[in-house]
Amino acid sequence: MIRRSLVPMVIFFACLPVMQSAGQSKPDVKVVATAQAAAEDVIVRLLGETITEKQILSTINQLAARAQQQQQATPQQLQQKDTYFYRDAVETLIGSVLLKNEGKAKNIVADKTKIDGTYQSLKGQFPNEEAFQKAMQGQGLAEPEVRKSIEDNLIIQMVLEPVFQAIPATTDADIQKFYDENPKYFEGPEQAHAAHIFMRVDRAATPEQKAEIKQKLEGIRSDIESKKITFAEAAAKYSDDKQNAQTGGDLGALKRGELVPPLENAIFSAKPGTLTPVAETEFGFHVISVIEVKPASKTPLAQVKPNIQQFLDQKAKQDATRKYIDGLKAKTKIETLVSDEEWNKRHSIK
């Protein structure tokens, strides 16, 4: 079971998309390395506020958790999360400070009723008070901090509301254009329905032992072809894949690209209703009954239109937010006290 997290409710990017993707250009900020900054673990200063190493690491953890949940990062990137997500985390925290300061300048105040309601809604995601408190403790949070994060998020939302209202509505033409220009997102791979009979080969087997097992499976294949035994009967009697043997060796629907090459080549080069030659993998030998093959297909626009619209709407908000924050940054002195190179030295995993 995946543990419930406070992340979606209490950090800035829960209501605001990440400002800059990993690998994009660095912001134009002044780098001032000082012994005092290192001692205080202060990484960035702006508008009389500081962004600390602890804040950045916390935000990195939450960015990495979201990326993992949405399958937007590789295992290698997640392993190196403290460096891979560093610039995203810094930009997120800088954007948070700038937007909160803009809210203060505009005398925007979060409604206490909304803060209370959001806090109670957050608690309601957990089965009981004990589970909620345990989750907060696990993330090093206390109620005042959670309430302050909710308040900050509400203020940020109110600052951005007129920015979002000025965004032109996504049109059918926009959706059609995205659909036409991004076919890879909507094309399903070739699929096959197949069953197999598997005979395991021990890694320590001699060439003679391997040849004997292969010859036995080829004999079983011949018996199936000559109708001495059905494929399902042979699977139940001989297959070492006990999980599927009792259902005739049925493997269900298989997608091209998810199988080891010898099996994939055998299955997708065979005609439906036929048996493949005996195929060898690192695990042993297989003979496969190809039941059905479905060609690659493209999902109709009508089926994915709501998803495309949601994506384009979200991207428009991201772009508008980035542009708005860039305008605020241009008017603000931002001091980076630890360079990216120094951060990477501290946090790279060898």
Side-chain angles (χ1 to χ4, degrees):
M1 181 179 293
I2 299 174
R3 183 172 66 88
R4 289 184 180 273
S5 171
L6 295 173
V7 170
M9 294 297 294
V10 301
I11 63 170
F12 162 64
F13 67 76
C15 66
L16 176 68
V18 176
M19 296 301 100
Q20 182 173 334
S21 299
Q24 290 188 4
S25 59
K26 301 173 185 176
D28 183 15
V29 295
K30 182 180 180 182
V31 178
V32 184
T34 67
Q36 182 183 5
E40 295 175 353
D41 290 327
V42 174
I43 308 300
V44 179
R45 285 199 189 109
L46 70 157
L47 298 171
E49 294 195 33
T50 60
I51 296 174
T52 66
E53 184 172 24
K54 181 180 178 181
Q55 288 175 293
I56 292 171
L57 290 172
S58 176
T59 303
I60 284 172
N61 286 337
Q62 295 169 81
L63 285 168
R66 188 176 70 167
Q68 184 176 29
Q69 184 181 26
Q70 298 179 354
Q71 299 181 333
Q72 293 177 338
T74 66
Q76 292 76 17
Q77 290 165 346
L78 292 170
Q79 185 181 25
Q80 297 284 350
K81 62 182 173 59
D82 288 347
T83 54
Y84 182 76
F85 292 101
Y86 169 67
R87 182 48 53 189
D88 283 344
V90 170
E91 288 301 297
T92 296
L93 291 166
I94 287 174
S96 178
V97 172
L98 290 168
L99 290 170
K100 286 186 291 183
N101 183 75
E102 191 70 4
K104 183 178 179 181
K106 294 181 176 181
N107 297 314
I108 295 175
V109 179
D111 188 325
K112 187 178 182 302
T113 303
K114 288 187 177 181
I115 296 173
D116 291 339
T118 304
Y119 183 78
Q120 293 304 320
S121 176
L122 174 60
K123 288 180 67 174
Q125 296 180 25
F126 295 83
N128 51 51
E129 178 71 20
E130 182 182 358
F132 176 62
Q133 294 297 331
K134 186 177 180 180
M136 286 207 298
Q137 292 169 9
Q139 296 185 39
L141 297 169
E143 182 174 335
E145 294 174 278
V146 176
R147 286 185 174 274
K148 182 64 169 64
S149 293
I150 292 170
E151 180 181 7
D152 290 344
N153 281 345
L154 289 172
I155 290 172
I156 288 170
Q157 288 177 16
M158 287 186 281
V159 169
L160 291 174
E161 188 174 336
V163 177
F164 293 160
Q165 288 176 347
I167 298 173
T170 300
T171 66
D172 287 346
D174 295 329
I175 295 171
Q176 182 72 56
K177 184 173 185 289
F178 184 87
Y179 181 78
D180 292 340
E181 294 180 353
N182 297 276
K184 64 180 180 179
Y185 297 132
F186 312 110
E187 290 178 350
E190 189 178 4
Q191 296 185 53
H193 181 193
H196 80 154
I197 299 169
F198 167 61
M199 288 192 166
R200 184 177 290 106
V201 175
D202 190 273
R203 290 183 182 275
T206 64
E208 292 77 14
Q209 290 171 325
K210 288 178 65 176
E212 183 180 346
I213 294 171
K214 182 178 181 182
Q215 185 176 9
K216 180 179 179 180
L217 187 54
E218 286 177 337
I220 294 168
R221 183 183 184 281
S222 296
D223 288 345
I224 296 169
E225 290 275 25
S226 62
K227 304 189 184 303
K228 292 181 180 179
I229 189 172
T230 68
F231 189 93
E233 290 170 342
K237 185 175 181 179
Y238 299 112
S239 182
D240 288 329
D241 179 4
K242 300 305 181 186
Q243 182 177 353
N244 296 311
Q246 299 310 311
T247 56
D250 197 334
L251 296 171
L254 306 169
K255 296 179 181 178
R256 182 184 282 278
E258 67 180 13
L259 302 169
V260 293
L263 291 186
E264 183 168 293
N265 293 338
I267 291 171
F268 288 102
S269 62
K271 294 181 179 180
T274 66
L275 300 180
T276 69
V278 173
E280 181 180 1
T281 68
E282 61 179 304
F283 310 106
F285 294 102
H286 313 248
V287 63
I288 304 156
S289 170
V290 180
I291 301 166
E292 181 184 16
V293 175
K294 294 182 179 179
S297 60
K298 187 172 183 179
T299 307
L301 175 59
Q303 190 174 329
V304 294
K305 184 176 179 179
N307 293 337
I308 297 175
Q309 179 159 355
Q310 183 180 27
F311 172 80
L312 293 177
D313 288 347
Q314 184 67 15
K315 185 178 183 301
K317 287 183 178 181
Q318 285 183 324
D319 294 343
T321 301
R322 184 177 293 113
K323 183 177 180 180
Y324 186 76
I325 288 180
D326 284 345
L328 297 177
K329 285 169 66 176
K331 301 182 291 184
T332 306
K333 179 183 178 183
I334 301 174
E335 292 183 327
T336 296
L337 308 177
V338 175
S339 69
D340 287 15
E341 290 75 16
E342 177 60 30
W343 177 274
N344 290 340
K345 284 182 183 179
R346 292 188 194 181
H347 296 282
S348 289
I349 297 175
K350 304 300 182 184

